[in-house]
Amino acid sequence: MTTNPSPQELAHAAAEAIRDLNHATQSFKRELTYPSDAYETVASLKALTQRLPQTFDQLREFLETLDKSGAVTADYGTPDDHLAEARSALASCALIAQTLTDFLDHTHNALAPLGFDTATADMTKEH
């Protein structure tokens, strides 16, 4: 990645990081061992989703600026209609990201009191 990555490069890197996370959390890989592993992972995912609405809002503002410029063209239909649809969808994305954050917060809170009894876990491996 460059020293000053573009928004496109950053979004691509984020998508690849989630792809890597999907692979790391596969149960057969056994990279998650303790409840705290899930707790910490959920906390980071919650931070990620908390930040997404700002990105969506800034993209929406960018599209509004493009719309006002009058320089956008469209292969079919009108640029105004396509830009309005994209801005509306981004506003919905921000709301959905907030909902996802709320559910991750509930998950995080549910995981908070959990611990792991290594003595019991060791006993189950022997039998």
Side-chain angles (χ1 to χ4, degrees):
M1 194 175 293
T2 62
T3 56
N4 191 15
S6 69
Q8 303 90 317
E9 290 169 325
L10 291 167
H12 177 76
E16 287 302 307
I18 294 298
R19 181 178 182 270
D20 291 343
L21 176 62
N22 289 341
H23 288 279
T25 55
Q26 292 172 330
S27 60
F28 71 88
K29 291 193 176 176
R30 301 188 185 277
E31 292 188 36
L32 297 170
T33 304
Y34 304 108
S36 61
D37 297 338
Y39 178 82
E40 291 172 14
T41 302
V42 167
S44 293
L45 289 169
K46 184 175 79 168
L48 181 148
T49 61
Q50 286 172 323
R51 295 172 181 156
L52 285 173
Q54 179 179 352
T55 302
F56 297 142
D57 289 343
Q58 290 169 177
L59 285 168
R60 191 177 42 78
E61 290 171 8
F62 168 71
L63 294 177
E64 189 171 323
T65 301
L66 279 180
D67 192 15
K68 290 177 182 176
S69 76
V72 178
T73 63
D75 291 342
Y76 62 90
T78 67
D80 291 345
D81 289 343
H82 293 291
L83 288 167
E85 184 177 344
R87 288 193 315 267
S88 176
L90 284 166
S92 295
C93 289
L95 290 172
I96 292 166
Q98 180 57 54
T99 301
L100 183 56
T101 298
D102 293 344
F103 279 98
L104 286 166
D105 189 48
H106 293 308
T107 305
H108 194 238
N109 289 334
L111 292 170
L114 299 179
F116 190 80
D117 183 351
T118 55
T120 302
D122 288 341
M123 286 177 48
T124 59
K125 287 181 182 176
E126 293 174 11
H127 299 315

